Amino acid sequence: MQRLIRSNKKAFILAAALVVILSLSWVISRSARDRGAPVDFSTEVKPILNKHCISCHGGVKAKAGFSVLFEEEAFSPTESGKPAIIKGDPDASEMIRRLTLDDPEERMPYEHDPLSPDEIALLRRWIKQGAPWGDHWAYLPVKEPKEKKTIDQHIKEELEKQGLKGSQRAEAPVLLRRVSLDLIGLYPEKEQAEKFLQAGGSAAAYEELVDSLLASPRFGEKWASMWLDLARYADTKGYESDGHRDAWPYRDWVIKAFNQNMPYDQFIKEQMAGDLLPNPTDDNYIATGFHRNSMTNDEGGTDNEEFRVAAVMDRINTSWEAIMSTTFSCVQCHSHPYDPFKHDEYYKFLAYFNNTRDEDVPGEYPLLRRLTPEMDKELEYVMGWMEEGKKGGKEEGEWVRKMVKFYQPAVNSTTADKLDNAVIANMNGGLIFKNKSTARFKNIDMEGTEQMIWQFYCNKPGGTLTLRLDAPDGPIIAKSPVQAKDQWRFESISFAKQQGVHDLYIQYKRTPLASEKDDFTISFNWVSCVPAFPGKDRPGYAAAYQRYWKLLTSYVPGMPILYENPASLKRTTHVFERGNRLTPGAEVKPAVPASLLHNMQLKETDMPKNRLELAAWMTDPRNPLVSRTLVNRLWEQLFGTGLVETLEDMGTQGANPTHHQLLDELSWKLIHDYQWNIKKLLKEMVLSATYQQDSRVTKEQLDKDAANKYYARGPRIRLSAEQLRDQHLQVSGKLSTKMYGPGVMPWQPDGIWLSPYNGARWTMSEGEDRYRRAVYTYWKRTSPYPSMINFDGAQRVVCNARRIRTNTPLQALVTMNDSVYVDLAAHFARRMEIGDEGDKGGKEKGGKEERKREEKKVEEMVKWGYRQLLFSEIKEEQLKAMMGLYAKARATYEANPKELEAFKQPTAHAAAMVVVANALLNLDEVIVKN
């Protein structure tokens, strides 16, 4: 008994001691938290400032001289002469005093609800600790994780915090369809599907399936659709006239880049500065179409320089939004209200792009001329002939290649000034002369030049063109007669070899007939001063020159590209006061934002000097934004929502990441483990158990996480506009696998296109082009393909970083009634009639198969059709509903033969099967990735 008492006494003493220790720990912990626990500026203070303070005390406004946007501003003297924040002394800080006043006229935030006591206490602690500043997480370099985890480990940790559990693995047919649509935008090949399903959807079979999908040429077509939204790709120029543009080689380059698994850093570099790479190839130039997708305004009376600047600004905004998830466009009028970017930094960044050769002219120069293979061989012959000679070596004759391929170096006639008896047509169309006319072209680099090549039109005889240097009455370097010809053409005017940079004056004079009016006589497109064709004293010169001249003057279409200005035409860049180009401020030099340069631990001497170095800076492993942006974008494509929901904005006003550590670890992997390999990163994502989960939702999941932000279940979202069209094409048996080439025009009602400037019409493509994948559909900015717009396709006037999914009645009208979808339903119905025999080559043959159509059981047709769509058996209640629909439709058409004729079907049975096929194609599980 005594031992028991002693034992209990010991237990009591130990318990009491434990209580005292825990109590002291709690007191100490609370005391530390209240008085000195480190406050994190980025996660605790910055959100309060952004929510309550920065609208009046930030980049746009700084009332009373106080701003909390930048560190140096927050601690600078205000209009009172004293800082509002005194480091280490909250009681002496005017900011704290104003937050705690009772008088609503004095208390801050003015005319808004006061801060909560907890928020004020947090700010007091922060100031007491010395008000340490910090940066938003997205602007800090990605760091190697201390403890590496898988995707599933990260997801599980967050699920446990939310009191949730993940779902079981989805069934094999669901996974097969899901991963195929996600990776290639289509269903898998029949053999791929059968192999996977026969293996029971095992982990090994699933990985093999994923590998085969990643290797498919359809992969690039699917992922190009995502990128073309960002690149604002279209087949037209935009604005009111919205004329045609040969931009499709860029689209094809993107498809090929994804299929070849081009490392993402190279993918960015080529698009930002492919023209500046050493010995750039045609593909390098085509890649720069990324930034020539900006719009061109051909409307008469517009100012070319205004819209050139608008295009350059669009390139800046696109670079930041598409590649770095930052709303940098805010900075063109004022410092960013929320993020650490100053007004002048916008124009410093713009300076990298301000010296490309394009000038918003109708011809969209410079172009990469699309030479035929035979023309390429001819050009190589000419270049080889020049290199063989003692004179005119490779460097000396390189201008020949540039003239043939780009029509560069050239000066657009719209830039002419000092006009006498001459005008720029429509203010932006080109230089036109009357008789006795003069125009000046400024700052022409004439070093070593011996001829002027020009493109022009003149249908009046008897004129003479005179070239003078530096003044209207300056020295004459050439005179040349101008013959009449009713077409645009090229000519060359020779002169003695020149030196230096000069203003070139062009004068035109002719003796008109007495009956002629003084009308416009000659029109210029561009002029170019270049050396003489080399090797004049060599055998074969005449033949080589003739080949060169034929190459130069033959018409071939061209694609707009980036091409840097020559030194003589370099532009200066100025800050636009309040974003107005008509009020230029201080001149600036190319530079990236100081905040990012500092966070990347780079020095001023490391500042990029041109677009190529800028592209290297963007893809530097220390750049905090590029890898995170790509990871977030790929995740959104697979799961429906990014780890940061606002794909367009990772800044302080963007959504907080749901899984910050996961985002950063995948970003680190992308750079360091995968060497920017997109396919490896996608494979890791789709092989995760998180991705493979069943998408059915429980009541608990719906209550706790209706939006599935924590991924307790698989993704369940409607197919994209492209996926929907391509899926219907494929299951109907009409999909064309033809790749590349100009945009195609599938069926569209007449009258949707209105092209008052050029009379362009939508002419439906013939043959298989009518049934090509959505990525190849001709895209007119002012009239995008209607059914794709209804399913949230982007207009592509500007960069579109995220498609916001909508649900409208118009979408049901498209898939149920649009002629394209009804046509595809009819083809699907025929496939259902033929069944597996059709897949072996019996498709729509007629004859014996046709005669058997009525003999087949409709039930078997429906079951077969459902299997083609979802790789699984139809449920009994669904089958019953489809059979009821068939019976009702057949009875309707038998009773109304005229409707049958309007439906263009031979029998009531055939028409009823089209109705059933259409219903199958509109099932929720078919429209949705489920």
Side-chain angles (χ1 to χ4, degrees), residues 19 33 51 68 86 91 124 146 165 180 193 210 294 336 346 350 447 490 521 563 603 669 672 711 718 844 857 896:
V19 169
R33 187 177 73 250
K51 181 179 179 181
V68 291
I86 307 298
D91 294 328
R124 288 184 64 90
K146 294 178 181 178
K165 290 183 179 180
S180 297
V210 168
S294 51
H336 202 294
Y346 184 90
L350 183 143
E447 184 66 36
F490 298 83
T521 304
Y563 194 99
K603 302 173 183 177
K669 269 188 177 181
H672 299 280
Y711 309 104
R718 195 197 61 228
E844 299 184 44
K857 291 182 179 179
N896 298 278

Side-chain angles (χ1 to χ4, degrees), residues 95 493 773 839 905:
M95 174 180 167
I493 301 175
R773 291 195 71 173
D839 291 334
Q905 295 299 319

Side-chain angles (χ1 to χ4, degrees), residues 316 344-355 564 570-574 586-594 597 603-614 617:
I316 308 314
D344 64 338
E345 291 179 331
Y346 184 90
Y347 296 94
K348 290 177 180 178
F349 198 88
L350 183 143
Y352 288 113
F353 294 85
N354 200 29
N355 271 298
E564 201 75 352
K570 288 288 184 186
R571 304 182 184 98
T572 58
T573 303
H574 295 261
E587 182 180 346
V588 291
K589 300 297 181 184
V592 299
L597 197 72
K603 302 173 183 177
E604 286 291 329
T605 53
D606 298 319
M607 187 73 72
K609 299 175 182 63
N610 55 39
R611 275 187 291 116
L612 186 58
E613 290 187 15
L614 176 66
W617 171 82

